[in-house]
Amino acid sequence: MNLRSYTSEFKTNLKLSSPVILGMLGHTFVGLIDNIMVGQLGSAHLAAVSLGNSFVFIAMSLGIGFSTAITSLTAEADTENDAVKAKSVFKNGLFLCSALGLALFVAVLLAKPLMYSMDQPDEVVQLAIPYLNLVAFSLFPLVVFQGFKQFADGLSMTRYPMYATLIANVVNIVLNYVLIFGKFGFPQLGIVGAAYGTLASRIVMFVYLWWLLRGKEKSKALVTNIKFFILDSTMIKKILNLGFPGAMQMFFEVAIFTSAIWLSGTLGKNPQAANQIALNLSSMTFMVAMGLSVAATVRVGNQKGLRNFRELRRIAFSIFFLTLILDVVFAALFWVFNATLPTFYVDLNDATNFIDNTEVITIASKLLLAAAVFQISDGIQVVVLGALRGLQDVKIPTLITFVSYWLIGFPVSYYLGKEDSYASFGIWLGLLAGLTAAAILLSIRFNYLTNKLIKQKHGTT
């Protein structure tokens, strides 16, 4: 095939993925606003938000990863014009997401005492505990929202989760401003105010998306008149079979980034704050690849329903190529502006914290050089994973993610991340190693599987 056969799909890919990207960026923007506003309070407060969110991120990865099963099953039902199947996917998927959201909330609260035995700065732990209490509760509306979102994505109705996320961001920004700093007569709550903003925004996000979907012709009949507790055991099993590996895939990746937060904490509050800045900026660009990953899941799922495997492969490679182009651009931006971007997160005019803040910027700027290099690996691995999810191939990719992140990436982070080695930069070299291994191995898996499907159908490669 010539280059045109791939670039001709860019418009369709972007049309489907752009609302998802904006919605994903909206999620990350909540964290960006929290970090920038909290960063004005000092490096200890920023490190506390990082530590508290590290527990939430692990739980959130399980909820989001699990819910991706809904997208591929819905896309397949939509292609088959099977409304009964689509409604069953939604109802049973929403029930499982609700149960999982409650379980994750309880699990995070039970895990809270671990903070005291993780060799983290005492000042940071004391600030993080009350923050975590509230943000943990926000897991329930967030995972329920994910159930609605993945269903809407599977129907190619990707704009509506984006709208819900944008509304939630407005709520978060306003509440952060008045509650963190005590504006307009509200009490000054510091990072606890940021937690209230996050909780309220996630409740608004879920309620607003439900209201949107029940008003649209394509989805109204599917999301209303739901007998929530009358479940289909066959569909429950199918969602679990796809959802559990999906949860593990995202867990393995998010957990290694979370381990970077914890390893940074053993180096002190300033390396931990710097890690949070670099992680937040990397997350912004990663959400673009995540949006394209959803497009890969939907479009590959559609072609799987049609059993058009040659077209499936061409479309998937067009998404991989588009991701590669965008990630090269992001890598260049991180490389060129590595010293400038961290300055947005701290107040260099704060004389009391000037030395700490200067150290945070210095460390973060080095980490962004590592982040620039792994942009490409990170983007490729997530879109290929999305394409494999569209094929409903989840078990082998789950094993690949475990090997890549925990047998390759984490040992490198652990040994190079010691204070007498490369410290924070060494931690991020481990992230680079894990992401690169995942990108290579997942690409090999997709290439093998699609060629095999084409050969089985046509008797030729």
Side-chain angles (χ1 to χ4, degrees), residues 160 163 274 379 394 413:
Y160 303 112
Y163 297 153
V394 290
S413 287

Side-chain angles (χ1 to χ4, degrees), residues 270-271 274-275 358-368 424-425:
N270 291 342
N275 182 84
T358 302
E359 183 183 1
V360 167
I361 290 172
T362 301
I363 298 170
S365 64
K366 283 186 66 178
L367 298 184
L368 286 180
S424 294
F425 191 73

Side-chain angles (χ1 to χ4, degrees), residues 72 76 242 296-297 300-304 309 312-313 316 384-394 445-447 449-450 453:
S72 56
E76 190 175 62
L242 290 174
T297 301
V300 168
N302 290 155
Q303 296 304 316
K304 179 180 179 293
F309 298 121
L312 180 155
R313 184 177 165 90
V384 177
L385 202 55
L388 288 167
R389 197 173 288 128
L391 284 170
Q392 298 180 20
D393 177 51
V394 290
R445 172 66 179 173
F446 181 82
N447 189 58
L449 204 58
T450 50
L453 290 168

